Amino acid sequence: MTENKPEGRVLIIAGSDSSGGAGIQADIKTCAAFGAYSMTAITAITVQNTLGVEQVEFLNADLVRAQIKACVSDIGVDVVKIGMLGTKEIIEAVAKEIEGLDAFIVLDPVAVATSGDTLLQDDAMEALKTKLLPLADLVTPNVPEGEWLSGIKIEDVDDLTKAGDALLEKGVYAALMKGGHLSTKSVVDVLVSEEGANVMSGPRLYTRHTHGTGCTLASAVAANMALGMSLDAAVMVAREFVFEAIRTAPGFGSTDGHGPLNHGLAREESEEEDKTKSDNPFAALKSLK
């Protein structure tokens, strides 16, 4: 019996969201939606819901590092997705562990929650710029994050591209500059790489259900990259996934808060694909639904 070649392994390094809408919980659910395998190194425990963050406790940096080692040394990893880190010590520990990894690194530079609550300590910002940013293959900042990482004021789509170019000069392979904060009718994101700038636009949904959109987008990219997609394709699929997850949001949480997305989107399989899976002993059960 031959063992299948492992693929689709995503190591998520991020904080826990007790309400399940963002952070580690959103990351795991997103990876599962695409069929990727999730591992985690938890950096912080947050007490939060759709109304905001009430309390945060960061884990010891050595414990974060040990979680990463445990996953990498045994299961291995194809893509590392980094979210909330919080402290300088954790950032430095993560940088040391991922520096030599043969894996694609996706960095979502989480500094502020959707509710506006700060998730990154002041002295950690410089550490993220100098220690972690140069190790990233893809960084996914929103407008405020893009401004403090690049030092460029972002007021329009052209500025997104300029800020992305500035991040490439800092050693990043590619930057997905998210334009959701801009005052535009459609949502415009720009994927900036050495190959140029790919400007992508989509309809803007006017809704309160936006909790965890950044986490979800970065994890969707990570999952699809781990499963073998090109970067451009992974970004396009991830954007479509987030749009549908917002559009079909379950409506949970206070009307004064930011509700979670629908991470349970099922990928539809064609009848032809179903027929090719005759080796699946559970395939016949589909017809009984």
Side-chain angles (χ1 to χ4, degrees):
M1 180 178 178
T2 59
E3 189 172 326
N4 292 330
K5 181 182 177 181
E7 65 175 5
R9 300 164 297 179
V10 181
L11 172 58
I12 304 159
I13 306 173
S16 169
D17 173 4
S18 55
S19 68
I24 286 283
Q25 288 83 348
D27 297 330
I28 292 174
K29 287 184 279 189
T30 300
C31 287
F34 288 101
Y37 182 81
S38 303
M39 300 164 283
T40 62
I42 298 176
T43 60
I45 307 297
T46 71
V47 178
Q48 65 174 297
N49 52 30
T50 65
L51 294 172
V53 180
E54 298 176 12
Q55 188 176 343
V56 178
E57 184 163 338
F58 295 104
L59 272 66
N60 181 280
D62 289 338
L63 182 56
V64 175
R65 195 171 182 182
Q67 292 177 80
I68 297 171
K69 284 184 176 180
C71 295
V72 173
S73 64
D74 181 25
I75 295 175
V77 59
D78 300 300
V79 176
V80 177
K81 185 269 179 177
I82 303 171
M84 175 187 177
L85 297 175
T87 70
K88 176 183 177 182
E89 291 76 19
I90 291 176
I91 289 172
E92 292 176 344
V94 169
K96 288 179 181 178
E97 278 309 308
I98 70 169
E99 187 172 10
L101 286 183
D102 182 18
F104 192 88
I105 310 297
V106 177
L107 172 61
D108 182 20
V110 178
V112 179
T114 302
S115 60
D117 296 289
T118 301
L119 299 174
L120 190 65
Q121 294 179 357
D122 291 340
D123 64 347
M125 290 190 175
E126 189 61 30
L128 191 146
K129 289 181 185 178
T130 59
K131 302 287 186 180
L132 207 52
L133 192 61
L135 300 178
D137 292 301
L138 175 68
V139 61
T140 63
N142 57 29
V143 168
E145 293 160 352
E147 289 181 339
W148 68 260
L149 283 177
S150 68
I152 295 174
K153 181 69 175 176
I154 301 174
E155 297 180 334
D156 54 30
V157 177
D158 286 341
D159 291 336
L160 285 175
T161 303
K162 292 176 184 176
D165 286 333
L167 295 182
L168 264 59
E169 292 177 2
K170 296 178 183 294
V172 176
Y173 171 74
L176 177 56
M177 310 301 295
K178 300 178 295 189
H181 286 77
L182 297 178
S183 299
T184 53
K185 284 188 177 182
S186 59
V187 176
V188 180
D189 303 322
V190 184
L191 178 61
V192 184
S193 70
E194 294 294 340
E195 298 177 1
N198 182 2
V199 180
M200 298 163 285
S201 64
R204 182 181 293 275
L205 296 171
Y206 295 91
T207 174
R208 69 178 181 86
H209 300 292
T210 56
H211 183 53
T213 50
C215 302
T216 301
L217 180 65
S219 290
V221 174
N224 284 292
M225 289 290 293
L227 291 167
M229 277 192 186
S230 67
L231 178 57
D232 276 18
V235 169
M236 289 171 57
V237 170
R239 292 181 77 253
E240 291 173 4
F241 178 83
V242 171
F243 176 84
E244 279 300 304
I246 295 173
R247 188 182 69 82
T248 62
F252 298 147
S254 170
T255 56
D256 295 326
H258 300 278
L261 313 187
N262 171 22
H263 294 100
L265 292 172
R267 291 191 304 166
E268 296 181 359
E269 296 177 331
S270 68
E271 292 182 6
E272 183 176 344
E273 288 175 329
D274 287 341
K275 290 177 182 178
T276 63
K277 296 186 176 182
S278 57
D279 59 336
N280 179 359
F282 299 102
L285 297 178
K286 291 185 177 181
S287 64
L288 300 179
K289 291 184 179 180

